[in-house]
Amino acid sequence: RRVIEPRFTPVLVTVADMMTDIYQPVVGQSAVVDKQFLKLQQAIGKEIDYQEELLEVLGMMDTLFATFTKKRDTCLEENKSNGVTEIIETNTNY
């Protein structure tokens, strides 16, 4: 169950991979092992679905933020006085 928690995922994915390698010969022969692998498969499947939904929401939010972001036009003017160049930045918000 903890394999889907981000703080444990790197270690537990490695452990799950090792467990798969160790118990592969008895898959289909032991109801207990099969049940545990089904639980793992379901937990990972749920997490994948959750991550896909989060990515969709993130994409929607990016679109909204891009739409509502104020456009910034910068007008640079050079004002030379006493041989020093001064750059004046002017913001125009729409």
Side-chain angles (χ1 to χ4, degrees), residues 54-65:
L54 286 176
L55 287 173
E56 287 178 18
V57 170
L58 184 60
M60 291 178 213
M61 291 175 65
D62 284 344
T63 303
L64 286 172
F65 290 141

Side-chain angles (χ1 to χ4, degrees), residues 14-60:
T14 302
V15 170
D17 188 40
M18 292 171 138
M19 297 295 288
T20 304
D21 290 341
I22 292 169
Y23 286 99
Q24 184 179 5
V26 295
V27 170
Q29 297 175 5
S30 170
V32 174
V33 172
D34 292 349
K35 185 178 179 180
Q36 294 303 317
F37 275 117
L38 285 174
K39 284 183 179 180
L40 178 62
Q41 181 183 13
Q42 290 171 351
I44 292 171
K46 286 179 183 179
E47 182 64 18
I48 289 170
D49 292 342
Y50 178 69
Q51 292 293 327
E52 287 174 349
E53 288 179 23
L54 286 176
L55 287 173
E56 287 178 18
V57 170
L58 184 60
M60 291 178 213

Side-chain angles (χ1 to χ4, degrees), residues 58-77:
L58 184 60
M60 291 178 213
M61 291 175 65
D62 284 344
T63 303
L64 286 172
F65 290 141
T67 302
F68 293 121
T69 300
K70 294 179 181 177
K71 295 181 181 180
R72 179 179 175 188
D73 290 340
T74 303
C75 178
L76 297 177
E77 298 176 10

Side-chain angles (χ1 to χ4, degrees), residues 6-18:
R7 60 186 173 162
F8 302 129
T9 300
V11 172
L12 292 180
V13 166
T14 302
V15 170
D17 188 40
M18 292 171 138

